[in-house]
Amino acid sequence: MSLAIAILAAGGATRFGGGKLDADCAGKPLGAWALDAALAVPHQRLAVVVGVSVPEFAGGCEVLINERAAGGLGTSAALAARWAEGSDRLLIVLADMPLVSSETLRKLAAAGGPAAVGYPGGKPGAPACFPATLFPALAALGGDSGAAQVLRGLPNVTLIETPADELRDVDRPADLAEVTAILNAKA
């Protein structure tokens, strides 16, 4: 089965003050952590979905420019789904989640049907993997509703249990300091 991986990196980082994906996080750009985890998963295609500027970490990758990025996260997931046409599965990863492991991503990619990490209350969330049958639903997304909206209510979603720290994202400088400390402690 062919796997396409899309790393969503088109947000404006307004709560951070801009430029968060290129900010130093334990010795490399924040977004490079998600990219490195994704590269460790066997795949046929990989792209980074960006907004108005291309983050440093995306150099050397296929880049998809989301001209509608200001319209919300859903527009990036929709662009990724259209790009992934012809693949059997699409793994969506968020660039501002540096603690997600390649092991978690491999488990998502290996699940037979739709799969996502499990958040509190049993809710599916990103990162998540979608079979091609769900690409049209993803391609119809817009606004601030991300790809997890497509999974909610489906009866056959595999929820991958993962350590709570892996689900941390970076929205503010204080978040960056916290995840940097966690990564430095693991080194």
Side-chain angles (χ1 to χ4, degrees):
M1 291 182 57
S2 61
L3 178 68
I5 302 175
I7 301 171
L8 306 188
T14 54
R15 291 179 282 180
F16 191 84
K20 76 176 175 180
L21 296 177
D22 285 332
D24 181 68
C25 179
K28 61 184 174 183
L30 171 64
W33 289 95
L35 176 61
D36 289 349
L39 287 170
V41 177
H43 61 277
Q44 285 65 46
R45 303 170 68 195
L46 184 141
V48 179
V49 180
V50 302
V52 294
S53 63
V54 179
E56 175 186 316
F57 84 91
C61 295
E62 183 174 353
V63 173
L64 305 176
I65 297 176
N66 181 1
E67 294 178 3
R68 298 176 46 226
L73 179 63
T75 65
S76 290
L79 178 59
R82 290 189 297 274
W83 164 81
E85 286 183 24
S87 299
D88 296 314
R89 300 178 61 69
L90 171 62
L91 177 61
I92 293 180
V93 180
L94 303 181
D96 65 354
M97 294 179 74
L99 301 174
V100 171
S101 69
S102 56
E103 177 183 341
T104 294
L105 298 181
R106 280 192 290 274
K107 287 177 183 177
L108 289 166
V117 295
Y119 280 78
K123 294 179 182 176
C129 195
F130 301 84
T133 56
L134 293 177
F135 291 3
L138 288 169
L141 288 172
D144 288 327
S145 295
Q149 176 184 339
V150 172
L151 299 175
R152 292 192 181 114
L154 289 179
N156 59 344
V157 177
T158 300
L159 292 181
I160 303 297
E161 296 298 321
T162 187
D165 273 351
E166 282 196 33
L167 303 180
R168 295 180 67 150
D169 64 341
V170 174
D171 290 327
R172 296 174 177 80
D175 300 330
L176 179 64
E178 290 171 8
V179 298
T180 297
I182 292 168
L183 288 165
N184 285 334
K186 290 180 180 182

